[in-house]
Amino acid sequence: MVESLQDHLSGDAAHKAVQLLIPFPAPPSAVRRSWQSVFTLHTGRNSEKFVKHRVDANDMSAAFDRICSLGRDVDAIAFAPFGPKPISAAMCLYAEQCDSAVHYP
């Protein structure tokens, strides 16, 4: 799934920092998939363009609060949810409220 997200990230200069919500604590398999995805996104790109935020994999409220805090100082947010369902649901709720784009890989 991450490969389709890479298509949206053209070059380092073309985008601001990508905010990654990393599910933790989470089951070991989810943590492994998340870090493999982060590694794939980082490949060939400036790692300073990626900011990681830990969010409990099952806490939709905390994920929503984190997204709200990240969205305060930006004009528009585009979401690519491919993590645990509570975090993906928080992204979709925020997108609905703020008229943001949601892209499924």
Side-chain angles (χ1 to χ4, degrees):
M1 287 191 238
V2 176
E3 290 78 15
S4 62
L5 180 57
Q6 285 181 318
D7 293 340
H8 293 288
L9 302 175
S10 54
D12 284 342
H15 65 83
K16 295 183 180 181
V18 174
Q19 308 293 325
L20 300 171
L21 299 181
I22 305 295
F24 188 84
S29 61
V31 172
R32 185 178 59 252
R33 280 191 311 270
S34 295
W35 285 110
Q36 285 173 339
S37 298
V38 169
F39 176 77
T40 301
L41 285 173
H42 277 214
T43 302
R45 291 189 169 82
N46 182 351
S47 63
E48 293 177 5
K49 289 287 190 170
F50 297 90
V51 181
K52 298 162 205 73
H53 306 275
R54 286 186 291 176
V55 179
D56 188 317
N58 295 314
D59 193 344
M60 184 168 63
S61 179
F64 184 81
D65 290 343
R66 173 62 78 171
I67 293 165
C68 288
S69 71
L70 295 171
R72 283 190 191 127
D73 300 326
V74 295
D75 296 329
I77 297 177
F79 293 100
F82 58 91
K85 287 184 181 19
I87 295 174
S88 297
M91 290 178 182
C92 291
L93 287 172
Y94 182 91
E96 176 64 26
Q97 287 184 352
C98 298
D99 200 28
S100 297
V102 179
H103 304 278
Y104 285 93

